[in-house]
Amino acid sequence: MISSPPARTKTEAAINYFKKAYACADGRKLRLAIWPFRQDRLPVSKEIADQLNDAFLASLIDRAAGRHEFVAREALRGVISDLQDTGGLDTDGADPIAALMENVRRVDILIQGRLRLDGGDIILSYKAVRMDGAIAGQTGTVRIPLHGAPNKPLNLLSLDRAIDQAAGKLSAGAPDLTELRPGGIRYQASGLQPAFGQFLQAKLSTALEARYANTLSGRRITVVEPRMDRSLRGAPVDRKALNAATFAAKDTSYLLSGDYWVLNDAIEVRLRLRNRAGAAVTWSGRLSPEAAAGLAVKPRNDFEDVRDNDGLGPFRFHLTSERGRDPVYRLQERLNLILRTEEEAWVYCFYRQADGKVIQIFPNPFYWTRHTEPRLAARVAHTMPSPDLFPFDLRIRPPVGLELLKCFAVSRDVTAELPAELRGWSLTPLPDKLAGRLAEVFRSLPHTAIAEASLALTVVAP
């Protein structure tokens, strides 16, 4: 349970900023909405997360003193339900700003909460974003201790017991499965796959193979790597085609994915099987910390500060790989990236290597030999490398570790307004000070709508 509510003073700066800086030009009241937390991205129960949002909303209403309007959670719930039914939120990294732009035009500012887990505490903060993608303000962070019920046994599972239970429930819920596509088991909401996540996926894949062979008339299933249909590259695609669950030619192919959360006294694991038609089965359980067997559980760097604004923008911007979002790659493998914007946009991409160096990969010197601006057509699966965008291989090179691709999609050509080092004329690493200010540089551009996206890569030895 939560030991105390977030301190009211922590929200004061953001609330005052809303009141002073943003008023509607037509004289009507500013209309604000708080986007609900998603259960699959929470370190706590949805009930607790909703209580936090309710407390924050009550504080906002109290301070607004009738000057603003607030969209009720029930109204947003209807919008979200419709988006889920129509697939509007199916794509990995679905953008709530763009969703509201298309479905609730009269919302002026969307407020998004963020919950992170840090040992026995959760860290809560809020960010307010205008419908043009500009950040209106944000709160500080609040640390909220979590305490389990006294004298209640945790009933922790050993690794072998957890694998057996998970394989049993998942196979029973997907009896038609003929093809298994391991899609990654990631640390919390980071997108990264430390050694423990990779080990857990390998063990579970093996257990599922054995389970189907033993219980379903001796038949065998195949285990294949998720991979986007190559025919979609460079072609107009629906945004749902970028969801790794749809990277299959048949409904009997299921994507295995999941995440795990490190608590003070347990590792909570959540697993999912899902096919392209949306059929899904889940399993969750708490493992003993000893289940990690000495493997790395937490990444050294989760890129939290760099990915903070992902999914905030006035138009949908998706960045993924042919293996899906946040994949694992081995040294010397070729990296194939896919970008898609809902509207025409000018795109700038930067690659942070495991050694910390940051290189601009788009636009790049090779691109400039054929083009005059980094403009990408809307609703097309643009791929890198490709003869047009990036005419040479992107090959994973040492050292192993965590890497990140960060992209900015903007509403006009801003190349001439960027610092010279960010115009794509060189493939040399950026100066450290500039590399750490990319979001600040792009978001300071005037009269420019902006959306951010990133892709985390876990690089391992062959």
Side-chain angles (χ1 to χ4, degrees):
M1 64 179 180
I2 297 175
S3 63
S4 61
R8 289 166 63 105
T9 56
K10 292 289 187 178
T11 68
E12 199 72 53
I15 293 170
N16 288 338
Y17 194 92
F18 304 159
K19 292 194 291 187
K20 294 177 181 178
Y22 293 97
C24 298
D26 58 8
R28 65 178 174 82
K29 294 180 179 180
L30 195 69
R31 201 164 194 233
L32 297 87
I34 297 182
W35 191 259
F37 289 108
R38 285 180 53 173
Q39 177 63 65
D40 60 344
R41 297 181 182 179
L42 288 176
V44 295
S45 71
K46 185 69 161 57
E47 180 181 7
I48 289 177
D50 285 343
Q51 289 175 4
L52 293 171
N53 268 353
D54 289 344
F56 187 70
L57 177 59
S59 183
L60 283 173
I61 293 173
D62 180 52
R63 285 159 174 74
R67 288 185 292 269
H68 308 312
E69 294 182 16
F70 296 88
V71 178
R73 188 199 303 170
E74 290 71 25
L76 272 186
R77 191 175 286 156
V79 172
I80 294 169
S81 177
D82 180 63
L83 288 168
Q84 290 171 334
D85 290 344
T86 59
L89 289 178
D90 282 349
T91 306
D92 292 341
D95 185 347
I97 298 288
L100 280 184
M101 283 284 287
E102 296 171 5
N103 294 273
V104 187
R105 295 283 179 176
R106 283 202 58 214
V107 170
D108 302 299
I109 289 181
L110 180 69
I111 300 171
Q112 275 192 288
R114 184 178 185 185
L115 283 173
R116 296 186 292 108
L117 187 64
D118 183 15
D121 301 340
I122 57 174
I123 311 298
L124 172 67
S125 61
Y126 286 92
K127 179 175 293 185
V129 186
R130 297 188 331 206
M131 288 298 102
D132 63 0
I135 297 173
Q138 60 189 54
T139 69
T141 59
V142 180
R143 180 176 289 270
I144 306 171
L146 293 174
H147 302 290
N151 303 319
K152 181 179 179 180
L154 291 176
N155 192 28
L156 300 182
L157 301 170
S158 67
L159 178 63
D160 289 341
R161 183 61 176 159
I163 292 295
D164 184 64
Q165 282 191 12
K169 182 177 179 184
L170 295 176
S171 60
D176 60 335
L177 185 151
T178 61
E179 181 179 85
L180 180 69
R181 292 172 294 130
I185 300 175
R186 298 168 173 82
Y187 170 71
Q188 301 188 169
S190 71
L192 296 168
Q193 302 180 54
F196 175 67
Q198 298 172 48
F199 178 72
L200 195 61
Q201 176 178 262
K203 291 276 288 185
L204 183 58
S205 297
T206 299
L208 284 169
E209 286 187 272
R211 176 78 57 164
Y212 280 91
N214 289 338
T215 63
L216 298 179
S217 303
R219 68 181 175 87
R220 302 286 180 179
I221 65 170
T222 56
V223 179
V224 299
E225 184 177 81
R227 193 172 295 273
M228 185 177 183
D229 185 349
R230 292 179 181 267
S231 68
L232 298 178
R233 299 182 184 183
V237 296
D238 182 87
R239 57 177 174 257
K240 290 190 290 184
L242 300 186
N243 190 323
T246 67
F247 290 5
K250 52 189 178 182
D251 290 348
T252 57
S253 177
Y254 282 77
L255 181 75
L256 170 64
S257 62
D259 50 70
Y260 63 92
W261 301 74
V262 179
L263 311 175
N264 272 345
D265 45 14
I267 302 174
E268 182 172 306
V269 178
R270 307 169 187 174
L271 304 170
R272 295 173 291 278
L273 276 179
R274 185 181 178 189
N275 69 2
R276 65 175 185 175
V281 56
T282 64
W283 177 89
S284 64
R286 290 193 172 187
L287 281 63
S288 165
E290 287 73 30
L295 298 170
V297 175
K298 297 181 180 180
R300 292 184 179 179
N301 182 358
D302 62 6
F303 302 119
E304 179 184 324
D305 54 337
V306 184
R307 310 188 81 179
D308 194 40
N309 296 326
D310 284 359
L312 299 181
F315 52 85
R316 296 178 188 270
F317 177 32
H318 299 300
L319 173 62
T320 187
S321 77
E322 69 170 358
R323 299 181 184 179
R325 282 185 56 81
D326 300 332
V328 169
Y329 271 84
R330 291 172 176 78
L331 292 177
Q332 302 306 320
E333 286 186 322
R334 290 183 175 89
L335 173 62
N336 291 288
L337 305 169
I338 299 112
L339 300 87
R340 181 189 184 277
T341 60
E342 194 69 20
E343 301 185 15
E344 179 183 72
W346 286 256
V347 176
Y348 304 81
C349 293
F350 304 85
Y351 195 93
R352 179 174 174 175
Q353 301 174 155
D355 60 8
K357 295 179 181 179
V358 177
I359 297 172
Q360 183 167 1
I361 65 169
F362 185 81
N364 54 71
F366 302 93
Y367 182 84
W368 286 126
T369 64
R370 307 182 185 192
H371 303 275
T372 59
E373 56 184 346
R375 179 175 59 182
L376 298 185
R379 296 178 291 280
V380 171
H382 299 282
T383 61
M384 289 192 283
S386 70
D388 190 47
L389 295 186
F390 202 101
F392 65 88
D393 282 347
L394 277 172
R395 193 178 290 272
I396 302 296
R397 302 191 182 280
V400 298
L402 308 177
E403 303 192 329
L404 185 81
L405 178 67
K406 180 72 179 185
C407 293
F408 302 86
V410 297
S411 57
R412 61 186 183 89
D413 186 2
V414 299
T415 306
E417 301 168 48
L418 294 172
E421 298 92 335
L422 304 185
R423 297 178 187 176
W425 294 108
S426 171
L427 289 172
T428 59
L430 301 180
D432 291 343
K433 289 185 178 180
L434 185 57
R437 297 179 51 248
L438 292 176
E440 178 185 341
V441 169
F442 279 92
R443 288 197 171 271
S444 66
L445 296 167
H447 314 297
T448 307
I450 181 170
E452 298 181 33
S454 63
L455 183 77
L457 293 97
T458 303
V459 177
V460 300

